[in-house]
Amino acid sequence: MAKSYTSAVIEASAEQVWQVVRDFDGLPRWHAAIEGSEIEGGGVADAVGCVRHLTLADGGVVRERLVSLDDAERSYTYDFVESPFPVRSYRSTIRVAPITDTGHSFVEWYSHWDADAADEEKMDKTFAHGVYRTGLNGLREFLAQ
């Protein structure tokens, strides 16, 4: 299995960051690559098993199922149900931890996935930079407002 990983320091408390990140339906608020999000079936965004339907800025669609939500650890994990990416067995986690020395947050976003060897380098770059880095930069900007 391949792994893609990105982390960032955000100058806001872990509680503030988690309030934004925790909303499984809230990516369009802070991620530039996400045009829209809807929880399928009208469910709630914090119900394990719910599926979010994301519309990407390029018109693509990604459907993701919430696998776990842990408020104590400030993390959630999700799987792809459907995506335009040539990967299999994709599972991703985003986690927010306090930096006790400064009162800021350490946010990490990572995934484990399978792909054909010819696609691995491109998919790692897509996830680590195009999705996670873009998202964490957007989260930083959103929280600085």
Side-chain angles (χ1 to χ4, degrees), residues 53-56 58-63 82-85:
H53 181 110
L54 301 173
T55 304
L56 306 180
D58 67 4
V61 170
V62 178
R63 295 174 62 233
E82 171 188 347
S83 86
F85 306 111

Side-chain angles (χ1 to χ4, degrees), residues 64-118:
E64 300 170 334
R65 177 176 291 111
L66 184 63
V67 174
S68 69
L69 175 71
D70 188 333
D71 285 317
E73 291 295 319
R74 295 183 196 91
S75 71
Y76 66 72
T77 299
Y78 61 93
D79 291 337
F80 278 166
V81 175
E82 171 188 347
S83 86
F85 306 111
V87 298
R88 302 174 295 277
S89 304
Y90 177 95
R91 178 161 283 188
S92 184
T93 298
I94 187 166
R95 185 177 79 88
V96 179
I99 300 173
T100 58
D101 185 46
T102 62
H104 298 150
S105 300
F106 176 76
V107 183
E108 57 184 349
W109 198 346
Y110 58 90
S111 60
H112 293 91
W113 44 272
D114 285 321
D116 292 341

